[in-house]
Amino acid sequence: MTLTFFGHSAFMLNHSDVSVLVDPFISDNPLAQGVVTEGELNPDFILLTHAHGDHWGDTVSIAARSGAQVVSNFEIATYLTEKHGYENVLGMNTGGSASFEWGRITVTDARHSSSFPDGTYGGNPVGFIIEIGGKTVYAMGDTCPFPEMAWYAEDFDIDVALMPIGDCFTMGPESSIRAANMTKAGIFIPIHHSTFPPIQVDMPAWEKLMMRAGHATSVLAPGGSIEF
Ligand code: NI
Ligand code: MN
């Protein structure tokens, strides 16, 4: 399994011949410049945590080119079909799971908001627990820590968690420790940080906080990847 980070919250999982792209904010993502272009991405699945522009990003053009199935909350899936004529969608909602030939996706809660760049209501924000290739990946989405995160650690053995730490719009470096304590992932990859001035993070300080709390981290530069 390879996980490749494109900066902000965008990443891709590749396992055998399946690729899953999450929150494809590429063209307008300052961290993705010189790393990847949206035209290079041809995923089989696109997962969207919510409708904000820094997550929705290049969904329409990547989906149209690749034919990827877009998995999101019901409102985002409906918007793609009604506004963009894109039919290959799977609208889910919080607490639901769906099985695929390659694994399973469970939709988690996320505490945030969700509207499209044009102001359209974007349903509730979510996170995803992705079971693929015998591994479990928790993409938290944009959220604060919330107590039910502890349930996810009871129900899943989380190998890798993508955790927002940028503060201002999501949990910050200090409060992310609480989320890490509850979710107990094998490795935490920080996301949603350092893209814009309000979410600049002192990464060595965060890594030290995480180390003291007993958590393993993998800080990926845009374009960086890990195998697990
Ligand atoms: Ni957001
Ligand atoms: Mn965001």
Side-chain angles (χ1 to χ4, degrees):
M1 173 93 55
T2 307
L3 184 158
T4 308
F5 181 55
F6 300 123
H8 201 57
S9 295
F11 72 94
M12 183 136 85
L13 293 171
N14 287 85
H15 172 69
S16 120
D17 58 351
V18 177
S19 55
V20 179
L21 177 63
V22 180
D23 287 349
F25 172 56
I26 305 293
S27 300
D28 295 331
N29 180 350
L31 299 179
Q33 305 311 306
V35 167
V36 69
T37 62
E38 63 89 8
E40 295 171 78
L41 298 172
N42 286 290
D44 300 301
F45 293 83
I46 298 172
L47 275 52
L48 296 172
T49 61
H50 61 297
H52 286 160
D54 59 320
H55 300 258
W56 165 253
D58 300 291
T59 295
V60 173
S61 57
I62 296 173
R65 186 186 53 254
S66 63
Q69 181 165 43
V70 177
V71 180
S72 65
N73 68 26
F74 179 78
E75 289 78 6
I76 293 173
T78 303
Y79 179 93
L80 254 179
T81 301
E82 290 185 352
K83 291 266 167 74
H84 295 281
Y86 195 72
E87 306 273 354
N88 191 15
V89 298
L90 176 62
M92 300 180 66
N93 218 326
T94 315
S97 62
S99 292
F100 302 85
E101 273 174 29
W102 48 267
R104 188 167 70 136
I105 292 173
T106 300
V107 180
T108 71
D109 198 7
R111 306 270 164 88
H112 192 64
S113 58
S114 176
S115 52
F116 285 91
D118 68 6
T120 305
Y121 172 62
N124 287 325
V126 302
F128 294 105
I129 294 173
I130 307 160
E131 294 166 276
I132 178 171
K135 301 288 183 182
T136 302
V137 177
Y138 177 23
M140 294 185 189
D142 282 8
T143 189
C144 59
F146 52 89
E148 295 86 351
M149 281 180 167
W151 295 350
Y152 304 143
E154 289 177 18
D155 295 346
F156 298 91
D157 190 2
I158 301 167
D159 294 291
V160 173
L162 293 110
M163 183 165 72
I165 66 162
D167 218 334
C168 193
F169 309 111
T170 67
M171 63 178 104
E174 291 83 12
S175 53
S176 73
I177 304 303
R178 187 180 284 283
N181 290 344
M182 288 190 285
T183 51
K184 300 182 169 72
I187 302 170
F188 289 88
I189 298 174
I191 61 169
H192 217 276
H193 71 87
S194 313
T195 320
F196 314 108
I199 58 172
Q200 211 63 45
V201 169
D202 178 343
M203 295 307 289
W206 176 75
E207 288 180 87
K208 197 183 266 183
L209 285 175
M210 287 288 280
M211 199 170 64
R212 275 202 212 115
H215 301 297
T217 58
S218 180
V219 178
L220 296 179
S225 62
I226 56 163
E227 306 275 341
F228 57 99

